[in-house]
Amino acid sequence: MGAGSGAGATVSEVRRARVFQFLVVAFRGEVMNDAADLSLIASSALPAAFTFLFQRLQTALERRRSARTEQPEHAPDVPAELVGSLQLPLTVDEDELADHAPVLEALALGLRRYDREPHLVTAHDADLMQALGKVREGLERVYGQRFTFQGETRQSSGPLSVQHYDTVTGEVIGMEAGQAILGAATSTIRAGSVEAGGRVVGMKAPIIDGRS
């Protein structure tokens, strides 16, 4: 695909387009987790899923460039094809965004072609499906929310927390809120060992709806 590599493209855009092509090829050898696998999404839901994920991708990257990641986002246009309930407002995990930004920037550039020409968004485009799956995988870590669409058998959309520790010596809380954690919330904490006095809490809030 030549997104960003036509006439008038900057050197930076051409480089990112080449990175996008390299990433798509590299992804083909990976075993996909459920976040990166969009193979079960209903064909009728794919255009809305693309629009939602691409908008979230663009918003997250633009907020990082302007150093506004600490502020909650304006309420997004949530498509009817999204299954479950999101915890709003959406907020960005700055550390996760910094970790994923180089790959997400390259993917964003490569996906601009599909944003400009929506008729190209089809499940028959293997490169698109792999790239969009990796975008969702990254965005779920960045926003701490699961984005699930019609046709998929994975858990519904909602708050998501995944943490890994070698050793826990104090208190670790996967997800905490002063009022409520809503939606199909999931908290996963993996620790090699929990020392004396250590404590692992999956979720902590006065109201927890749809926990797992």
Side-chain angles (χ1 to χ4, degrees):
M1 292 186 300
S5 58
T10 66
V11 173
S12 178
E13 288 176 332
V14 171
R15 287 175 178 170
R16 284 201 296 268
R18 289 173 178 168
V19 171
F20 172 79
Q21 293 169 336
F22 171 80
L23 289 173
V24 168
V25 172
F27 294 155
R28 292 172 187 162
E30 290 188 356
V31 177
M32 290 188 291
N33 60 31
D34 75 329
D37 185 2
L38 285 166
S39 63
L40 295 179
I41 191 171
S43 58
S44 59
L46 182 58
F50 174 85
T51 298
F52 177 79
L53 293 173
F54 187 74
Q55 288 177 347
R56 301 278 60 71
L57 174 64
Q58 292 286 79
T59 298
L61 293 175
E62 288 171 3
R63 289 167 66 83
R64 180 173 185 266
R65 298 184 197 111
S66 60
R68 291 185 293 113
T69 53
E70 293 183 0
Q71 305 171 15
E73 290 186 13
H74 295 299
D77 293 327
V78 180
E81 292 81 358
L82 186 135
V83 178
S85 300
L86 298 177
Q87 181 87 38
L88 299 176
L90 294 177
T91 56
V92 168
D93 183 315
E94 294 184 52
D95 292 334
E96 290 286 358
L97 181 55
D99 289 344
H100 290 84
V103 170
L104 291 178
E105 287 279 10
L107 290 172
L109 182 64
L111 291 175
R112 285 181 190 170
R113 175 191 178 194
Y114 298 94
D115 184 52
R116 292 193 303 265
E117 303 177 67
H119 67 279
L120 296 177
V121 177
T122 167
H124 299 296
D125 187 329
D127 287 353
L128 167 65
M129 297 301 285
Q130 287 181 320
L132 193 60
K134 296 303 287 187
V135 166
R136 177 169 73 174
E137 182 181 34
L139 289 178
E140 289 192 345
R141 298 299 297 270
V142 168
Y143 284 108
Q145 305 236 26
R146 188 184 297 97
F147 303 126
T148 300
F149 300 93
Q150 291 175 354
E152 298 189 286
T153 57
R154 69 198 299 257
Q155 192 167 351
S156 299
S157 304
L160 170 69
S161 174
V162 179
Q163 300 179 37
H164 301 270
Y165 299 93
D166 293 328
T167 303
V168 174
T169 58
E171 183 177 62
V172 171
I173 300 176
M175 197 179 298
E176 183 174 10
Q179 296 183 347
I181 297 173
L182 304 177
T186 300
S187 176
T188 301
I189 301 175
R190 297 186 176 92
S193 63
V194 179
E195 296 189 353
R199 184 167 178 254
V200 176
V201 179
M203 300 182 198
K204 185 177 181 181
I207 300 174
I208 300 177
D209 174 39
R211 76 176 71 192
S212 67

